[in-house]
Structures are given as C-alpha cells and as structure tokens.
Amino acid sequence: MKAGLLVALIVGLSLVAEPVAGQAIQGRAVQENTGNPIEGAVVTAIGADGEVVTGSLTDERGMFRLQVGRAGIYLLRLERIGYRSIDSGPHEVSGTGTTLVELVASE
C-alpha cells in the first residue's frame, strides 16, 4: 500500500516538474557595419501568443542569455538607444539544449 502511494506521488510530481534549465536562447548583439558588440541593449523573447516571456541586457561583449522555460517558437526584440530596434525570428527552441542567434542592428 505504501509503495503504491509512493509511486503515485513520484509520478504526480514528475508531471509538474520544472522545465529543463537548458531551454534557452543565447546569442550576441553586434553593429551592422563594424561587427562590434552592442553593450547594454535590451533583448526580449516574445512567445507565440505575443506576450513577453523574458528579457536580458547584453554585456560588454554583446552577449545575452534568455531562459525561456519551455520549447516553442519565439521572436526576439533588440532595443538600444542610438540603434534601430529590430525583431528577429521566428526562432525555434527545442525540448533540450540552447538555441544560438546573432542579432545585427544599425545605428
């Protein structure tokens, strides 16, 4: 009886488990003409429903990482004062692993 309850509890918990931490979009934001990194840009991931899922700032190398939490199709938006805002995608994130992208913006 206790073994059956334990199995039911484990199965139930596995159904509500947290998403795999590897479900992410990672990339770099660069200037169009020079290829130089864009520091301090806001990068947001937008889900298929049009809602913002998560966001991040680029570092001094233009690098960013967005933990999207689940597989799906995402649009990326890059915004930075002095640059034209861009939308990139759609980008597909699989059930595991990290999707790599490069965002190129012009001044």
Side-chain angles (χ1 to χ4, degrees):
M1 179 78 165
K2 287 184 180 181
L5 183 58
L6 181 60
V7 169
L9 180 60
I10 291 171
V11 170
L13 288 175
S14 69
L15 294 175
V16 294
E18 289 295 313
V20 175
Q23 295 167 325
I25 302 171
Q26 182 174 312
R28 185 170 186 236
V30 297
Q31 296 175 7
E32 182 178 50
N33 293 328
T34 65
N36 291 335
I38 301 173
E39 180 180 1
V42 175
V43 181
T44 52
I46 301 165
D49 60 0
E51 296 292 320
V52 173
V53 175
T54 188
S56 178
L57 287 175
T58 58
D59 66 14
E60 67 279 354
R61 298 171 297 142
M63 303 297 289
F64 64 89
R65 182 173 176 85
L66 303 169
Q67 288 294 139
V68 293
R70 63 176 36 137
I73 304 293
Y74 298 91
L75 176 74
L76 298 184
R77 180 166 293 146
L78 179 130
E79 298 174 295
R80 173 75 163 97
I81 294 174
Y83 293 87
R84 292 184 184 180
S85 296
I86 63 164
D87 288 340
S88 172
H91 300 282
E92 183 173 359
V93 175
S94 66
T96 60
T98 300
T99 300
L100 302 175
V101 298
E102 182 173 75
L103 302 177
V104 181
S106 60
E107 295 182 86

Coordinates of all heavy atoms in Angstrom, one line a residue:
M1 N 0.8 -1.2 0.0 CA 0.0 0.0 0.0 C 0.9 1.3 0.0 O 0.7 2.2 -0.8 CB -0.9 0.0 1.2 CG -1.8 1.2 1.3 SD -3.2 1.0 0.2 CE -4.2 2.3 0.8
K2 N 1.9 1.3 0.9 CA 2.8 2.5 1.0 C 3.6 2.6 -0.3 O 3.8 3.7 -0.8 CB 3.7 2.4 2.1 CG 3.0 2.6 3.5 CD 4.0 2.6 4.6 CE 3.3 2.9 5.9 NZ 4.3 2.9 7.0
A3 N 4.0 1.5 -0.9 CA 4.8 1.5 -2.2 C 3.9 2.1 -3.3 O 4.4 2.9 -4.1 CB 5.3 0.1 -2.5
G4 N 2.6 1.7 -3.3 CA 1.7 2.3 -4.4 C 1.5 3.8 -4.2 O 1.5 4.5 -5.2
L5 N 1.4 4.2 -3.0 CA 1.3 5.6 -2.7 C 2.5 6.4 -3.1 O 2.5 7.5 -3.7 CB 1.0 5.9 -1.2 CG 0.7 7.3 -0.8 CD1 -0.4 7.9 -1.6 CD2 0.4 7.3 0.7
L6 N 3.7 5.8 -2.8 CA 5.0 6.4 -3.2 C 5.1 6.6 -4.7 O 5.5 7.6 -5.2 CB 6.1 5.6 -2.6 CG 7.5 6.2 -2.9 CD1 7.7 7.6 -2.3 CD2 8.6 5.3 -2.3
V7 N 4.7 5.5 -5.4 CA 4.8 5.5 -6.9 C 3.9 6.6 -7.4 O 4.2 7.4 -8.3 CB 4.5 4.2 -7.5 CG1 4.3 4.2 -9.0 CG2 5.6 3.2 -7.1
A8 N 2.7 6.7 -6.9 CA 1.7 7.7 -7.3 C 2.2 9.1 -7.1 O 2.1 10.0 -7.9 CB 0.4 7.5 -6.6
L9 N 2.9 9.3 -5.9 CA 3.4 10.6 -5.6 C 4.6 11.0 -6.6 O 4.6 12.1 -7.0 CB 3.9 10.6 -4.2 CG 4.5 11.9 -3.7 CD1 3.5 13.0 -3.7 CD2 5.1 11.7 -2.2
I10 N 5.4 10.0 -6.8 CA 6.6 10.3 -7.8 C 6.0 10.6 -9.2 O 6.5 11.6 -9.8 CB 7.5 9.1 -7.8 CG1 8.3 9.0 -6.4 CG2 8.5 9.2 -8.9 CD1 9.1 7.8 -6.2
V11 N 5.1 9.8 -9.6 CA 4.5 10.1 -11.0 C 3.8 11.5 -11.0 O 4.0 12.2 -11.9 CB 3.5 9.0 -11.4 CG1 2.7 9.4 -12.6 CG2 4.3 7.7 -11.6
G12 N 3.1 11.8 -10.0 CA 2.4 13.1 -9.9 C 3.4 14.2 -9.9 O 3.2 15.2 -10.6
L13 N 4.5 14.1 -9.2 CA 5.5 15.2 -9.1 C 6.2 15.3 -10.5 O 6.5 16.4 -10.9 CB 6.5 14.9 -8.0 CG 6.0 15.1 -6.6 CD1 7.1 14.7 -5.6 CD2 5.6 16.6 -6.4
S14 N 6.4 14.2 -11.2 CA 7.1 14.3 -12.5 C 6.2 15.0 -13.5 O 6.7 15.6 -14.4 CB 7.4 12.9 -13.0 OG 6.3 12.2 -13.3
L15 N 4.9 15.0 -13.3 CA 4.0 15.7 -14.2 C 4.1 17.2 -14.1 O 3.7 18.0 -15.0 CB 2.6 15.2 -14.1 CG 2.3 13.8 -14.5 CD1 0.9 13.4 -14.1 CD2 2.7 13.5 -15.9
V16 N 4.5 17.7 -12.9 CA 4.5 19.1 -12.6 C 6.0 19.6 -12.4 O 6.2 20.6 -11.9 CB 3.7 19.5 -11.4 CG1 2.2 19.3 -11.7 CG2 4.2 18.8 -10.2
A17 N 6.9 18.8 -12.9 CA 8.3 19.2 -12.8 C 8.6 20.5 -13.5 O 8.0 20.8 -14.5 CB 9.2 18.0 -13.3
E18 N 9.7 21.1 -13.0 CA 10.1 22.4 -13.7 C 10.7 22.1 -15.0 O 11.2 21.0 -15.3 CB 11.2 23.0 -12.8 CG 10.7 23.6 -11.5 CD 9.7 24.8 -11.8 OE1 10.1 25.7 -12.6 OE2 8.7 24.8 -11.1
P19 N 10.6 23.0 -16.0 CA 11.2 22.8 -17.3 C 12.7 22.6 -17.2 O 13.3 23.0 -16.3 CB 10.9 24.2 -18.0 CG 9.9 24.9 -17.2 CD 10.0 24.3 -15.8
V20 N 13.3 22.0 -18.2 CA 14.7 21.8 -18.3 C 15.4 23.1 -18.4 O 15.1 24.0 -19.2 CB 15.0 20.9 -19.5 CG1 16.5 20.7 -19.7 CG2 14.3 19.6 -19.5
A21 N 16.5 23.3 -17.6 CA 17.2 24.5 -17.5 C 17.9 24.9 -18.8 O 18.2 26.0 -19.1 CB 18.2 24.5 -16.4
G22 N 18.1 23.9 -19.7 CA 18.8 24.1 -20.9 C 17.9 24.8 -22.0 O 18.4 25.0 -23.1
Q23 N 16.7 25.0 -21.7 CA 15.8 25.6 -22.7 C 16.0 27.1 -22.7 O 15.4 27.8 -22.0 CB 14.3 25.2 -22.5 CG 14.1 23.7 -22.6 CD 12.8 23.3 -22.1 OE1 12.3 23.8 -21.1 NE2 12.2 22.4 -22.7
A24 N 16.9 27.5 -23.6 CA 17.3 28.9 -23.6 C 17.7 29.4 -25.0 O 17.9 28.6 -25.9 CB 18.6 29.1 -22.7
I25 N 17.7 30.7 -25.2 CA 18.2 31.3 -26.4 C 19.4 32.1 -25.9 O 19.4 32.9 -25.0 CB 17.2 32.2 -27.0 CG1 15.9 31.4 -27.3 CG2 17.7 32.9 -28.2 CD1 14.7 32.3 -27.8
Q26 N 20.5 31.9 -26.6 CA 21.8 32.6 -26.3 C 22.3 33.2 -27.6 O 22.2 32.7 -28.6 CB 22.8 31.6 -25.7 CG 24.1 32.1 -25.3 CD 24.9 31.1 -24.6 OE1 24.4 30.4 -23.8 NE2 26.2 31.0 -25.0
G27 N 22.9 34.4 -27.4 CA 23.5 35.0 -28.6 C 24.3 36.2 -28.3 O 24.7 36.5 -27.2
R28 N 24.5 36.9 -29.4 CA 25.3 38.1 -29.4 C 24.7 39.2 -30.2 O 24.2 38.9 -31.3 CB 26.7 37.8 -30.0 CG 27.7 38.9 -29.9 CD 29.1 38.4 -30.2 NE 30.1 39.4 -30.0 CZ 30.9 39.9 -30.9 NH1 30.9 39.4 -32.1 NH2 31.7 40.9 -30.7
A29 N 24.7 40.4 -29.8 CA 24.2 41.6 -30.5 C 25.4 42.4 -31.0 O 26.3 42.7 -30.3 CB 23.3 42.5 -29.6
V30 N 25.4 42.7 -32.3 CA 26.5 43.3 -33.0 C 26.0 44.5 -33.9 O 24.9 44.5 -34.3 CB 27.4 42.4 -33.8 CG1 28.1 41.3 -32.9 CG2 26.7 41.7 -34.9
Q31 N 26.9 45.4 -34.1 CA 26.7 46.5 -35.0 C 26.8 46.1 -36.4 O 27.7 45.3 -36.8 CB 27.7 47.7 -34.8 CG 27.6 48.3 -33.4 CD 28.7 49.3 -33.2 OE1 29.4 49.7 -34.1 NE2 28.8 49.8 -32.0
E32 N 25.9 46.5 -37.3 CA 25.8 46.1 -38.7 C 27.1 46.3 -39.4 O 27.6 45.4 -40.1 CB 24.6 46.8 -39.4 CG 24.4 46.3 -40.8 CD 23.2 47.0 -41.4 OE1 23.1 48.2 -41.3 OE2 22.4 46.3 -42.0
N33 N 27.6 47.5 -39.4 CA 28.7 47.8 -40.3 C 30.1 47.4 -39.8 O 31.0 47.1 -40.5 CB 28.8 49.3 -40.6 CG 27.6 49.7 -41.5 OD1 27.1 49.0 -42.3 ND2 27.1 51.0 -41.2
T34 N 30.2 47.3 -38.5 CA 31.5 47.1 -37.9 C 31.7 45.7 -37.2 O 32.8 45.2 -37.0 CB 31.8 48.1 -36.8 OG1 30.9 48.0 -35.7 CG2 31.8 49.5 -37.3
G35 N 30.5 45.1 -36.9 CA 30.6 43.8 -36.1 C 31.0 44.0 -34.7 O 31.1 43.0 -34.0
N36 N 31.1 45.2 -34.2 CA 31.4 45.5 -32.8 C 30.2 45.1 -31.9 O 29.1 45.2 -32.3 CB 31.8 47.0 -32.6 CG 33.1 47.3 -33.2 OD1 34.0 46.5 -33.4 ND2 33.2 48.6 -33.6
P37 N 30.5 44.7 -30.7 CA 29.4 44.3 -29.8 C 28.6 45.5 -29.4 O 29.1 46.6 -29.3 CB 30.1 43.7 -28.6 CG 31.5 44.2 -28.7 CD 31.8 44.5 -30.1
I38 N 27.3 45.2 -29.1 CA 26.4 46.3 -28.6 C 26.2 46.0 -27.2 O 25.5 45.0 -26.8 CB 25.1 46.3 -29.4 CG1 25.3 46.5 -30.9 CG2 24.1 47.3 -28.8 CD1 24.1 46.4 -31.7
E39 N 26.7 46.8 -26.3 CA 26.6 46.6 -24.8 C 25.4 47.4 -24.3 O 25.0 48.4 -24.8 CB 27.8 47.2 -24.2 CG 27.8 47.1 -22.6 CD 29.0 47.6 -22.0 OE1 29.9 48.2 -22.7 OE2 29.1 47.6 -20.7
G40 N 24.7 46.8 -23.4 CA 23.5 47.4 -22.7 C 22.3 47.5 -23.5 O 21.3 48.2 -23.2
A41 N 22.1 46.6 -24.5 CA 20.9 46.5 -25.2 C 19.9 45.6 -24.5 O 20.3 44.7 -23.8 CB 21.1 45.9 -26.6
V42 N 18.6 45.9 -24.6 CA 17.6 45.0 -24.0 C 17.2 44.0 -25.1 O 16.8 44.4 -26.2 CB 16.4 45.9 -23.6 CG1 15.3 45.0 -23.1 CG2 16.8 46.9 -22.5
V43 N 17.2 42.8 -24.7 CA 16.8 41.7 -25.6 C 15.6 41.0 -24.9 O 15.8 40.6 -23.8 CB 17.9 40.7 -25.9 CG1 17.4 39.6 -26.9 CG2 19.1 41.4 -26.5
T44 N 14.5 40.9 -25.6 CA 13.3 40.2 -25.1 C 12.9 39.1 -26.0 O 13.0 39.1 -27.2 CB 12.1 41.2 -24.9 OG1 11.9 41.9 -26.1 CG2 12.4 42.2 -23.8
A45 N 12.4 38.0 -25.3 CA 11.8 36.9 -26.0 C 10.3 37.0 -26.0 O 9.8 37.2 -24.9 CB 12.3 35.6 -25.4
I46 N 9.7 36.9 -27.1 CA 8.2 37.1 -27.2 C 7.6 35.7 -27.7 O 8.1 35.2 -28.7 CB 7.8 38.2 -28.1 CG1 8.5 39.5 -27.6 CG2 6.3 38.3 -28.3 CD1 8.5 40.7 -28.6
G47 N 6.7 35.2 -26.9 CA 6.1 33.9 -27.3 C 5.1 34.0 -28.4 O 4.8 35.1 -28.9
A48 N 4.6 32.9 -28.9 CA 3.7 32.8 -30.0 C 2.4 33.6 -29.7 O 1.7 34.0 -30.6 CB 3.4 31.3 -30.3
D49 N 2.1 33.7 -28.4 CA 0.9 34.5 -28.0 C 1.1 36.0 -28.0 O 0.2 36.7 -27.7 CB 0.4 34.0 -26.7 CG 1.4 34.2 -25.6 OD1 2.5 34.7 -25.8 OD2 1.1 33.8 -24.4
G50 N 2.3 36.4 -28.3 CA 2.6 37.9 -28.3 C 3.0 38.4 -27.0 O 3.3 39.6 -26.9
E51 N 3.1 37.6 -26.0 CA 3.5 38.0 -24.6 C 5.0 37.9 -24.4 O 5.6 37.0 -24.9 CB 2.8 37.2 -23.6 CG 1.3 37.3 -23.6 CD 0.8 38.7 -23.1 OE1 1.4 39.3 -22.2 OE2 -0.2 39.2 -23.7
V52 N 5.5 38.9 -23.7 CA 7.0 38.8 -23.4 C 7.2 37.7 -22.4 O 6.5 37.7 -21.3 CB 7.4 40.2 -22.8 CG1 8.9 40.1 -22.3 CG2 7.4 41.3 -23.9
V53 N 8.1 36.8 -22.7 CA 8.4 35.7 -21.8 C 9.5 36.0 -20.9 O 9.4 35.7 -19.7 CB 8.8 34.5 -22.7 CG1 9.2 33.3 -21.8 CG2 7.7 34.1 -23.6
T54 N 10.6 36.7 -21.4 CA 11.7 37.0 -20.5 C 12.6 38.0 -21.3 O 12.3 38.3 -22.4 CB 12.6 35.8 -20.2 OG1 13.6 36.1 -19.2 CG2 13.2 35.2 -21.4
G55 N 13.5 38.6 -20.5 CA 14.4 39.6 -21.1 C 15.7 39.6 -20.4 O 15.9 39.1 -19.4
S56 N 16.7 40.3 -21.1 CA 18.0 40.4 -20.6 C 18.7 41.6 -21.2 O 18.3 42.1 -22.2 CB 18.8 39.1 -20.9 OG 20.1 39.1 -20.5
L57 N 19.8 42.0 -20.5 CA 20.7 43.0 -21.1 C 21.9 42.4 -21.6 O 22.4 41.4 -21.1 CB 21.1 44.0 -20.0 CG 20.1 45.0 -19.4 CD1 20.7 45.8 -18.3 CD2 19.6 45.9 -20.5
T58 N 22.4 43.0 -22.7 CA 23.7 42.4 -23.3 C 24.8 42.9 -22.4 O 24.8 44.0 -21.9 CB 23.9 42.9 -24.7 OG1 23.9 44.3 -24.8 CG2 22.8 42.3 -25.6
D59 N 25.9 42.1 -22.4 CA 27.1 42.5 -21.6 C 28.1 43.3 -22.5 O 27.7 43.6 -23.6 CB 27.7 41.3 -20.9 CG 28.3 40.3 -21.9 OD1 28.5 40.6 -23.1 OD2 28.6 39.2 -21.5
E60 N 29.3 43.5 -22.0 CA 30.2 44.3 -22.7 C 30.7 43.6 -24.0 O 31.2 44.3 -24.9 CB 31.5 44.6 -21.9 CG 32.3 43.4 -21.5 CD 31.8 42.6 -20.3 OE1 30.8 43.0 -19.7 OE2 32.3 41.5 -20.0
R61 N 30.4 42.3 -24.1 CA 30.8 41.6 -25.4 C 29.6 41.5 -26.3 O 29.6 40.8 -27.3 CB 31.3 40.2 -25.0 CG 32.6 40.3 -24.3 CD 33.1 38.9 -23.7 NE 32.1 38.4 -22.8 CZ 31.7 37.2 -22.7 NH1 32.2 36.2 -23.4 NH2 30.8 36.8 -21.8
G62 N 28.4 42.1 -25.9 CA 27.2 42.0 -26.7 C 26.5 40.6 -26.4 O 25.5 40.4 -27.1
M63 N 26.9 39.9 -25.5 CA 26.3 38.5 -25.2 C 25.1 38.6 -24.3 O 25.0 39.5 -23.5 CB 27.3 37.6 -24.5 CG 28.6 37.5 -25.3 SD 28.4 36.6 -26.9 CE 28.1 35.0 -26.4
F64 N 24.1 37.7 -24.6 CA 22.9 37.6 -23.8 C 22.5 36.2 -23.7 O 22.9 35.3 -24.5 CB 21.8 38.5 -24.3 CG 21.3 38.0 -25.7 CD1 20.3 37.1 -25.8 CD2 21.9 38.5 -26.9 CE1 19.9 36.7 -27.1 CE2 21.5 38.1 -28.1 CZ 20.5 37.2 -28.2
R65 N 21.7 35.9 -22.7 CA 21.1 34.5 -22.5 C 19.7 34.7 -21.9 O 19.5 35.4 -20.9 CB 22.0 33.7 -21.5 CG 21.4 32.3 -21.4 CD 22.4 31.4 -20.6 NE 21.9 30.1 -20.3 CZ 21.9 29.1 -21.2 NH1 22.6 29.2 -22.3 NH2 21.4 27.9 -20.9
L66 N 18.8 34.1 -22.6 CA 17.4 34.1 -22.2 C 16.9 32.7 -21.8 O 16.9 31.8 -22.7 CB 16.5 34.7 -23.3 CG 16.9 36.1 -23.9 CD1 16.1 36.4 -25.1 CD2 16.6 37.1 -22.8
Q67 N 16.5 32.5 -20.6 CA 15.9 31.2 -20.2 C 14.4 31.3 -20.5 O 13.7 32.0 -19.8 CB 16.1 31.0 -18.7 CG 17.5 30.7 -18.2 CD 18.0 29.4 -18.7 OE1 19.1 29.3 -19.1 NE2 17.2 28.3 -18.7
V68 N 14.0 30.6 -21.6 CA 12.6 30.7 -22.0 C 11.7 29.7 -21.3 O 10.5 29.8 -21.3 CB 12.4 30.6 -23.5 CG1 13.1 31.8 -24.2 CG2 13.0 29.3 -24.0
G69 N 12.3 28.7 -20.7 CA 11.5 27.8 -19.8 C 10.8 26.6 -20.5 O 10.5 25.7 -19.9
R70 N 10.5 26.7 -21.8 CA 9.9 25.6 -22.5 C 10.1 25.7 -24.0 O 10.4 26.8 -24.5 CB 8.4 25.6 -22.2 CG 7.6 26.8 -22.7 CD 6.1 26.6 -22.4 NE 5.9 25.9 -21.2 CZ 5.0 26.2 -20.3 NH1 4.2 27.2 -20.5 NH2 4.9 25.5 -19.2
A71 N 10.0 24.6 -24.6 CA 10.2 24.5 -26.1 C 9.1 25.4 -26.7 O 8.0 25.5 -26.2 CB 10.1 23.1 -26.5
G72 N 9.4 25.9 -27.9 CA 8.4 26.7 -28.6 C 9.1 27.6 -29.6 O 10.3 27.5 -29.9
I73 N 8.3 28.5 -30.2 CA 8.7 29.4 -31.2 C 8.7 30.8 -30.6 O 7.7 31.2 -30.0 CB 7.8 29.4 -32.5 CG1 7.7 28.0 -33.1 CG2 8.2 30.5 -33.5 CD1 8.9 27.5 -33.7
Y74 N 9.8 31.5 -30.7 CA 10.0 32.8 -30.1 C 10.5 33.9 -31.1 O 11.3 33.6 -32.0 CB 11.0 32.8 -28.9 CG 10.5 31.8 -27.9 CD1 10.8 30.5 -27.9 CD2 9.7 32.3 -26.8 CE1 10.4 29.6 -26.9 CE2 9.2 31.5 -25.8 CZ 9.6 30.1 -25.9 OH 9.1 29.3 -24.9
L75 N 10.0 35.1 -30.9 CA 10.5 36.3 -31.6 C 11.4 37.0 -30.7 O 11.1 37.1 -29.5 CB 9.3 37.2 -32.0 CG 9.7 38.5 -32.7 CD1 10.1 38.3 -34.1 CD2 8.5 39.4 -32.6
L76 N 12.6 37.5 -31.2 CA 13.5 38.2 -30.3 C 13.4 39.7 -30.7 O 13.4 40.0 -31.9 CB 14.9 37.7 -30.4 CG 15.2 36.3 -30.0 CD1 16.7 36.0 -30.1 CD2 14.7 36.1 -28.6
R77 N 13.4 40.6 -29.7 CA 13.4 42.0 -30.0 C 14.6 42.6 -29.3 O 14.9 42.3 -28.1 CB 12.1 42.7 -29.4 CG 12.1 44.2 -29.6 CD 10.7 44.7 -29.4 NE 9.8 44.2 -30.5 CZ 8.6 43.9 -30.3 NH1 8.0 44.1 -29.2 NH2 7.8 43.4 -31.3
L78 N 15.4 43.4 -30.1 CA 16.6 44.1 -29.5 C 16.3 45.6 -29.6 O 15.9 46.1 -30.6 CB 17.8 43.8 -30.4 CG 19.1 44.5 -29.9 CD1 20.2 43.5 -29.8 CD2 19.5 45.6 -30.8
E79 N 16.5 46.2 -28.4 CA 16.3 47.7 -28.3 C 17.5 48.3 -27.6 O 17.9 47.8 -26.6 CB 15.0 48.0 -27.6 CG 13.8 47.5 -28.3 CD 12.5 47.6 -27.5 OE1 12.4 47.0 -26.4 OE2 11.6 48.4 -27.9
R80 N 18.0 49.4 -28.1 CA 19.1 50.2 -27.5 C 19.0 51.6 -28.0 O 18.9 51.8 -29.2 CB 20.4 49.5 -27.9 CG 21.7 50.2 -27.4 CD 21.9 50.1 -25.9 NE 23.2 50.4 -25.5 CZ 23.6 51.6 -25.0 NH1 22.7 52.6 -24.9 NH2 24.8 51.8 -24.6
I81 N 19.2 52.5 -27.1 CA 19.2 54.0 -27.6 C 20.4 54.1 -28.5 O 21.5 53.6 -28.3 CB 19.4 54.9 -26.3 CG1 18.1 54.8 -25.5 CG2 19.7 56.3 -26.7 CD1 18.2 55.5 -24.2
G82 N 20.1 54.8 -29.6 CA 21.1 55.0 -30.6 C 21.1 54.0 -31.8 O 21.9 54.1 -32.7
Y83 N 20.3 53.0 -31.6 CA 20.2 51.9 -32.6 C 18.7 51.7 -33.0 O 17.8 52.0 -32.2 CB 20.7 50.6 -32.1 CG 22.2 50.6 -31.9 CD1 22.7 51.0 -30.6 CD2 23.1 50.2 -32.9 CE1 24.1 51.0 -30.4 CE2 24.5 50.2 -32.7 CZ 24.9 50.6 -31.4 OH 26.3 50.6 -31.2
R84 N 18.5 51.3 -34.3 CA 17.2 50.9 -34.7 C 16.8 49.6 -34.0 O 17.5 48.7 -33.9 CB 17.1 50.7 -36.2 CG 17.3 52.0 -36.9 CD 17.2 51.8 -38.4 NE 17.5 53.0 -39.1 CZ 17.5 53.2 -40.4 NH1 17.1 52.2 -41.2 NH2 17.7 54.4 -40.9
S85 N 15.6 49.6 -33.4 CA 15.0 48.4 -32.8 C 14.8 47.3 -33.9 O 14.5 47.7 -35.0 CB 13.7 48.6 -32.1 OG 13.9 49.5 -31.1
I86 N 15.1 46.1 -33.6 CA 14.9 45.0 -34.6 C 14.2 43.9 -33.9 O 14.2 43.7 -32.7 CB 16.3 44.5 -35.1 CG1 17.1 43.8 -34.0 CG2 17.1 45.5 -35.8 CD1 18.2 43.0 -34.5
D87 N 13.4 43.2 -34.8 CA 12.7 42.0 -34.4 C 13.4 40.9 -35.2 O 13.6 41.0 -36.4 CB 11.2 42.0 -34.7 CG 10.5 42.9 -33.8 OD1 11.0 43.2 -32.7 OD2 9.4 43.4 -34.1
S88 N 13.7 39.8 -34.6 CA 14.4 38.7 -35.3 C 13.7 37.4 -35.0 O 13.2 37.1 -33.9 CB 15.8 38.6 -34.7 OG 16.5 37.4 -35.2
G89 N 13.5 36.6 -36.0 CA 12.9 35.3 -35.8 C 11.9 35.0 -36.9 O 11.8 35.7 -37.9
P90 N 11.1 33.9 -36.7 CA 11.0 33.2 -35.5 C 12.2 32.2 -35.2 O 12.8 31.8 -36.2 CB 9.7 32.3 -35.8 CG 9.7 32.2 -37.2 CD 10.3 33.4 -37.8
H91 N 12.4 32.0 -34.0 CA 13.5 31.1 -33.5 C 12.9 29.9 -32.8 O 12.1 30.2 -31.9 CB 14.5 31.8 -32.6 CG 15.1 33.0 -33.2 ND1 16.2 32.9 -34.1 CD2 14.9 34.3 -33.1 CE1 16.6 34.1 -34.5 NE2 15.8 35.0 -33.9
E92 N 13.2 28.7 -33.2 CA 12.6 27.5 -32.5 C 13.6 27.0 -31.4 O 14.8 26.9 -31.6 CB 12.4 26.4 -33.6 CG 11.8 25.2 -33.0 CD 11.4 24.2 -34.0 OE1 11.7 24.4 -35.2 OE2 10.9 23.1 -33.6
V93 N 13.0 26.9 -30.3 CA 13.7 26.3 -29.1 C 13.2 24.9 -28.9 O 12.0 24.7 -28.8 CB 13.5 27.1 -27.8 CG1 14.1 26.5 -26.6 CG2 14.0 28.6 -28.1
S94 N 14.1 23.9 -28.9 CA 13.7 22.5 -28.8 C 13.5 22.2 -27.3 O 13.8 23.0 -26.4 CB 14.7 21.6 -29.4 OG 16.0 21.7 -28.7
G95 N 13.1 20.9 -27.1 CA 12.9 20.5 -25.7 C 14.1 20.5 -24.8 O 14.0 20.6 -23.6
T96 N 15.3 20.4 -25.4 CA 16.6 20.5 -24.7 C 17.6 21.3 -25.4 O 17.4 21.5 -26.6 CB 17.2 19.1 -24.4 OG1 17.4 18.5 -25.7 CG2 16.2 18.2 -23.6
G97 N 18.6 21.7 -24.8 CA 19.6 22.5 -25.5 C 19.4 24.0 -25.5 O 18.4 24.5 -25.0
T98 N 20.3 24.6 -26.2 CA 20.3 26.1 -26.3 C 20.3 26.5 -27.8 O 21.0 25.9 -28.6 CB 21.5 26.7 -25.6 OG1 21.5 26.3 -24.3 CG2 21.5 28.2 -25.7
T99 N 19.4 27.4 -28.1 CA 19.3 28.0 -29.5 C 20.3 29.1 -29.6 O 20.2 30.0 -28.7 CB 17.9 28.4 -29.8 OG1 17.0 27.2 -29.7 CG2 17.8 29.0 -31.2
L100 N 21.1 29.2 -30.6 CA 22.1 30.2 -30.7 C 21.7 31.2 -31.8 O 21.3 30.8 -32.9 CB 23.5 29.7 -31.1 CG 24.1 28.7 -30.0 CD1 25.4 28.1 -30.5 CD2 24.3 29.4 -28.7
V101 N 21.8 32.5 -31.6 CA 21.5 33.5 -32.6 C 22.5 34.7 -32.5 O 23.2 34.9 -31.6 CB 20.0 34.1 -32.3 CG1 19.0 33.0 -32.4 CG2 19.9 34.8 -31.0
E102 N 22.5 35.4 -33.7 CA 23.2 36.7 -33.7 C 22.2 37.7 -34.1 O 21.5 37.6 -35.1 CB 24.4 36.6 -34.7 CG 25.2 37.9 -34.7 CD 26.5 37.8 -35.5 OE1 26.3 37.8 -36.8 OE2 27.5 37.7 -34.9
L103 N 22.2 38.8 -33.4 CA 21.3 39.9 -33.7 C 22.2 41.1 -34.2 O 23.1 41.5 -33.6 CB 20.5 40.4 -32.4 CG 19.7 39.3 -31.8 CD1 19.0 39.9 -30.5 CD2 18.6 38.8 -32.7
V104 N 21.8 41.6 -35.4 CA 22.6 42.7 -36.0 C 21.7 43.9 -36.1 O 20.6 43.9 -36.7 CB 23.1 42.2 -37.4 CG1 23.9 43.3 -38.1 CG2 23.8 40.9 -37.4
A105 N 22.2 45.0 -35.6 CA 21.5 46.3 -35.5 C 22.3 47.4 -36.2 O 23.5 47.4 -36.1 CB 21.1 46.6 -34.1
S106 N 21.6 48.3 -36.7 CA 22.2 49.5 -37.3 C 21.9 50.7 -36.5 O 20.9 50.8 -35.8 CB 21.8 49.7 -38.8 OG 20.4 49.9 -38.9
E107 N 22.8 51.7 -36.6 CA 22.6 53.0 -35.8 C 21.6 53.9 -36.5 O 21.4 53.8 -37.7 CB 23.9 53.7 -35.6 CG 24.9 52.9 -34.8 CD 26.2 53.5 -34.5 OE1 26.3 54.3 -33.6 OE2 27.2 53.3 -35.3

